[in-house]
């Protein structure tokens, strides 16, 4: 028995040495968090940086921001004149009855806040829906419950035809037109919390607490020396962001990785001018040239690969392959699944493997393509390549003849780039088209995986999964030995 224990100790020591070698954590150098406290939203009517507007602004409707403002006197005058009609071609009076003065006054306050406030930096995100009027938007600004309550109370019996003024309209040259029937605000928004959270597509978040400490005011009570209490809240939120960034710096640096190919960027960053692959406008591994190529001919310009190799794909099937190509080319959230390509190619030295793609995505993709035709049971490998691109090795058959079901399709279509995965988006699996301004669910999943690797002591140095199977096996075996 003693001999066995001695042998166990030697095995344990050897495995510890192996694990320490494989899992050594490399500490990145510290980086500073960008200061968001002295900037304005990137919009058509916003200034580039805040500054004083003085007596001119005090004359109009946006006086709290006279000494430090992201809006000009001209913008404030437009708000006084007709709300947001001149600015955005948007009518507040879109139903048969004009808004009451009490309700209209709150929308004026909101517009001044949005156009003029220099304290929104910590809440700015890239607007993924390309608009002429802006390239950024604000998300989840903690608006004081007292403001939300008063705003809703002022408007509850007025009429509107939209449960989300941020997007639920039919837009024409004459402005916003109703797509729903006119009802009272209290019918569309049952209470002040729902109203604040939904009126402008999650721009605001109903927040309890004290103005200037826990939440922002639409019309801040600026002191005689020009101090705006909203600035204090912005500083608190910014400090919280900085602390989070410091804690998660290893994870952030690890995730800011793109696949090593000829057309991926080395590091992700904003691509505000792309019109294809828009979910990644704010943080992309692709360039505008890449997305233009996808829009032009799918994979031909990029990979010399024809999707229409057995006749044209149906539009619904082609749309899924466009989503897939955008996902692969642009996503900055693939680092945990990047591996060295065992068969190095001119165009790449790395690939992705076993990305957990949500089962409903796989089901929809297979359903869209099952009656279309292909001549390959593995689009990652089974081709005869020539200067003209991919040529058929196998006969043309329907997708459902080569791939029996969505599981087989997702797992095999690109040589195990994906893995059919049941579960919840952002928690268990990824989306091909993460089109949400509110949350980046793919980022959440990638971050969770990266944090798990950090907790296990595994080096966040892509590609991390080259030896992951051995690492997990060794760790489990070591634990069994320790339990003896």
């Amino acid at each position: 028995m003693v001999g066995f224990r001695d042998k166990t100790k030697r095995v344990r020591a050897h495995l510890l040495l192996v694990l320490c070698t494989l899992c050594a954590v490399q500490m990145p150098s510290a980086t500073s968090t960008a200061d968001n406290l002295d900037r304005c939203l990137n919009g058509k009517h916003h200034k580039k940086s805040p500054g004083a507007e003085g007596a001119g602004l005090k004359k109009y409707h946006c006086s709290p921001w006279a000494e430090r403002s992201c809006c000009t006197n001209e913008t404030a005058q437009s708000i006084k004149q007709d709300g947001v009609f001149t600015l955005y071609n948007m009518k507040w009076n879109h139903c048969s009855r004009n808004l009451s003065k009490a309700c209209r006054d709150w929308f004026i306050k909101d517009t001044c806040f949005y156009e003029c406030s220099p304290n929104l930096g910590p809440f700015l995100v890239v607007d993924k829906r390309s608009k002429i009027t802006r390239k950024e938007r604000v998300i989840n600004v903690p608006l004081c419950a007292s403001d939300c309550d008063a705003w809703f109370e002022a408007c509850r019996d007025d009429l509107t035809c939209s449960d989300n003024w941020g997007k639920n309209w039919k837009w024409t040259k004459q402005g916003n037109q109703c797509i729903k029937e006119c009802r009272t605000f209290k019918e569309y928004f049952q209470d002040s919390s729902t109203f604040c959270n939904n009126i402008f597509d999650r721009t605001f978040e109903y927040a309890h607490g004290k103005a200037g400490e826990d939440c922002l005011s639409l019309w801040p009570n600026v002191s005689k020396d020009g101090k705006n209490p909203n600035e204090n809240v912005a500083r608190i939120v910014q400090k919280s962001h900085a602390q989070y960034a410091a804690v998660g710096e290893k994870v952030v640096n690890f995730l800011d990785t793109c696949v090593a190919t000829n057309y991926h960027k080395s590091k992700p960053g904003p691509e505000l001018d792309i019109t294809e692959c828009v979910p990644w406008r704010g943080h992309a591994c692709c360039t505008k040239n890449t997305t233009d190529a996808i829009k032009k001919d799918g994979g031909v310009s990029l990979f010399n690969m024809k999707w229409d190799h057995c006749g044209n794909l149906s539009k619904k099937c082609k749309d899924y392959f466009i989503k897939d190509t955008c996902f692969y080319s642009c996503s900055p959230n693939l680092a945990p699944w990047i591996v060295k390509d065992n068969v190095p190619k001119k165009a790449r030295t790395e690939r992705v493997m076993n990305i957990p793609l949500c089962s409903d995505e796989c089901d929809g993709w297979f359903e869209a393509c099952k009656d279309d035709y292909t001549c390959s049971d593995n689009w990652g490998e089974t081709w005869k390549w020539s200067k003209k691109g991919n040529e058929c090795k196998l006969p043309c058959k329907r997708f459902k003849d080569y791939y029996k079901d969505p599981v087989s399709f997702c797992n095999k279509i690109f040589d195990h780039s994906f893995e059919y995965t049941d579960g919840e988006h952002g928690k268990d699996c990824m989306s091909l088209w993460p089109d949400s301004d509110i949350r980046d669910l793919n980022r959440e999943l990638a971050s969770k995986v990266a944090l798990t690797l950090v907790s296990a002591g595994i080096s966040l140095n892509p590609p991390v999964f080259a030896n992951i199977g051995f690492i997990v096996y060794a760790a489990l075996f070591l634990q069994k030995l320790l339990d003896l």
Side-chain angles (χ1 to χ4, degrees):
M1 187 66 180
V2 175
F4 175 77
R5 285 180 178 172
D6 289 340
K7 186 176 181 180
T8 298
K9 288 180 181 179
R10 289 196 299 272
V11 173
R12 182 188 305 173
H14 178 69
L15 281 174
L16 278 170
L17 178 61
V18 172
L19 285 172
C20 287
T21 302
L22 288 173
C23 304
V25 177
Q26 297 182 5
M27 298 296 291
S29 58
T31 56
S32 61
T33 304
D35 185 4
N36 278 325
L37 299 176
D38 193 37
R39 59 170 298 204
C40 300
L41 182 146
N42 186 346
K44 182 178 180 180
H45 304 294
H46 289 75
K47 294 170 8 182
K48 289 186 178 180
S49 58
E53 290 293 320
L57 207 63
K58 290 180 180 178
K59 182 180 177 182
Y60 302 116
H61 278 286
C62 306
S63 56
W65 296 277
E67 301 304 321
R68 191 163 179 265
S69 173
C70 282
C71 66
T72 63
N73 290 325
E74 289 75 17
T75 296
Q77 190 171 6
S78 293
I79 297 170
K80 179 183 179 182
Q81 177 182 320
D82 56 25
V84 289
F85 187 73
T86 297
L87 296 177
Y88 302 111
N89 198 28
M90 182 176 182
K91 298 173 291 187
W92 291 340
N93 299 322
H94 42 266
C95 288
S96 58
R97 190 174 74 220
N98 288 348
L99 292 183
S100 64
K101 182 180 183 303
C103 181
R104 180 183 173 85
D105 284 348
W106 276 101
F107 278 101
I108 287 174
K109 289 179 180 180
D110 161 70
T111 308
C112 284
F113 176 90
Y114 172 74
E115 298 294 338
C116 303
S117 176
N119 308 125
L120 301 180
F123 313 99
L124 292 178
V125 297
V126 169
D127 193 336
K128 294 180 181 178
R129 295 173 177 84
S130 180
K131 296 181 177 69
I132 297 174
T133 57
R134 71 185 188 199
K135 292 186 177 180
E136 292 179 322
R137 62 162 296 189
V138 287
I139 285 285
N140 293 334
V141 175
L143 189 61
C144 291
S146 56
D147 273 11
C148 292
D149 295 342
W151 190 358
F152 180 68
E153 185 62 31
C155 296
R156 59 182 295 161
D157 295 320
D158 284 82
L159 296 179
T160 184
C161 60
S162 175
D163 57 357
N164 185 331
W165 281 30
K167 58 183 181 182
N168 289 345
W169 303 105
K170 177 183 177 182
W171 288 96
T172 68
K173 291 181 179 179
Q174 287 72 43
N176 52 314
Q177 306 293 326
C178 292
I179 57 176
K180 295 184 178 182
E181 63 180 316
C182 285
R183 296 180 180 179
T184 61
F185 277 85
K186 67 183 177 185
E187 289 177 294
Y188 274 117
F189 310 94
Q190 287 70 42
D191 52 45
S192 53
S193 175
T194 304
F195 173 78
C196 252
N197 293 347
N198 293 349
I199 183 66
F200 286 114
D201 196 26
R202 303 294 303 189
T203 290
F204 297 116
E205 184 176 31
Y206 185 93
H208 293 286
K210 185 177 179 181
E213 294 182 9
D214 308 296
C215 54
L216 282 78
S217 302
L218 276 185
W219 203 258
N221 186 16
V222 179
S223 63
K224 291 182 180 180
D225 59 359
K227 288 187 177 180
N228 186 328
N230 284 353
E231 183 176 344
N232 184 52
V233 180
R235 289 191 180 280
I236 293 170
V237 174
Q238 178 69 8
K239 184 177 180 181
S240 174
H241 287 183
Q243 290 171 341
Y244 174 80
V247 171
E249 189 176 10
K250 285 187 290 184
V251 172
V252 171
N253 289 342
F254 166 65
L255 291 178
D256 274 355
T257 303
C258 301
V259 186
T261 75
N262 287 351
Y263 60 91
H264 281 79
K265 291 161 29 177
S266 58
K267 287 284 184 182
E271 292 289 337
L272 301 182
D273 296 325
I274 64 176
T275 56
E276 192 75 24
C277 310
V278 291
W280 296 277
R281 292 178 76 228
H283 203 53
C285 280
C286 58
T287 64
K288 186 177 186 299
N289 287 341
T290 296
T291 62
D292 287 346
I294 296 170
K295 185 176 182 179
K296 176 187 174 185
D297 54 28
V300 176
S301 295
L302 294 176
F303 318 113
N304 197 25
M305 182 175 182
K306 298 171 291 187
W307 295 341
D308 301 324
H309 43 266
C310 290
N312 292 341
L313 293 181
S314 63
K315 183 182 183 303
K316 61 182 180 179
C317 180
K318 185 175 181 178
D319 284 347
Y320 264 99
F321 278 101
I322 288 174
K323 289 179 180 180
D324 161 71
T325 309
C326 284
F327 175 90
Y328 171 70
S329 302
C330 301
S331 177
N333 303 316
L334 303 182
W337 299 279
I338 294 174
V339 299
K340 292 291 184 184
D341 196 331
N342 290 331
V343 185
K345 301 172 178 66
K346 290 182 180 180
R348 74 183 191 201
T349 57
E350 294 176 341
R351 59 163 296 189
V352 289
M353 199 162 190
N354 295 330
I355 296 170
L357 190 61
C358 292
S359 56
D360 60 337
E361 298 264 10
C362 294
D363 295 342
W365 193 355
F366 180 71
E367 185 64 29
C369 296
K370 66 180 184 180
D371 293 318
D372 285 79
Y373 283 81
T374 184
C375 60
S376 174
D377 58 358
N378 182 338
W379 279 31
E381 284 190 354
T382 312
W383 301 108
K384 178 182 177 182
W385 289 96
S386 69
K387 291 182 179 180
K388 296 180 180 179
N390 53 314
E391 306 291 342
C392 290
K393 271 188 175 181
L394 302 174
C396 287
K397 297 181 181 180
R398 291 175 300 181
F399 276 86
K400 65 183 178 184
D401 294 322
Y402 277 115
Y403 309 95
K404 304 302 180 185
D405 53 38
V407 178
S408 171
F409 175 80
C410 250
N411 293 351
K412 294 181 180 179
I413 183 66
F414 286 114
D415 195 24
H416 296 282
S417 289
F418 297 116
E419 184 175 24
Y420 183 98
T421 306
D422 290 314
E424 184 180 335
H425 288 247
K427 181 180 179 182
D428 309 294
C429 56
M430 287 194 144
S431 305
L432 278 181
W433 200 258
D435 190 19
S436 171
D437 290 332
I438 311 303
R439 296 170 62 191
D440 187 342
L441 295 177
N442 285 356
R443 189 71 168 184
E444 290 181 20
L445 178 62
S447 298
K448 185 177 76 171
V449 173
L451 285 169
T452 301
L453 295 173
V454 170
S455 300
I458 296 172
S459 173
L460 294 187
N461 187 21
V464 297
F465 279 172
N467 294 303
I468 194 68
F470 174 73
I471 291 172
V472 173
Y473 170 78
L476 291 173
F477 182 56
L478 176 60
Q479 185 60 52
K480 288 182 179 180
L481 289 176
L482 293 174
D483 291 339
L484 287 174

